[in-house]
Amino acid sequence: MLGRVNHIAIAVPDLAAATASYRDTLGAHVSQAQALPEHGVTVVFVELENTKVELLEPLGADSPITAFLAKNPAGGMHHICYEVEDIIAARDQLSAAGARVLGSGEPKIGAHGKPVLFLHPKDFFGTLIELEQV
Ligand code: CO
């Protein structure tokens, strides 16, 4: 079911500072910031040769990463995104196996304009998993 790692996401308290750190200290190429109100985050992508790192900052009052940052005020690894060929088939197979799909269970359009879903971290060893159809 799983294809490549599409990205690894890190929640940060200050996106501008995190962007500067990755760009200036680590010497990476960082994309322009993109507000995703439907997901409650603003994101940039650190573009690497083999994958991307997504830096996430809360957007709006009920951002899904606000509680995470309250527990991890310096920031921390938030989720890993795996590519799948067919997100509906993947969802149905995972649901049938007892895994919990977050939210309504219907894919939302993610930062790359493609459908995404999230799986409950308690079902996958404490790691929030995002699936993205590519
Ligand atoms: Co993501």
Side-chain angles (χ1 to χ4, degrees), residues 11-14 56-58 64-76 78:
V12 301
D14 181 339
L56 303 168
E57 178 185 66
I65 65 170
T66 299
F68 181 90
L69 281 170
K71 278 183 249 161
N72 304 277
H78 185 261

Side-chain angles (χ1 to χ4, degrees), residues 7-9 45 54 56 79-81 111-112 118 130 132:
H7 59 269
I8 294 158
F45 284 96
E54 181 182 63
L56 303 168
H79 66 266
I80 183 162
C81 177
H112 309 109
F118 288 88
E130 178 179 18
E132 179 173 307

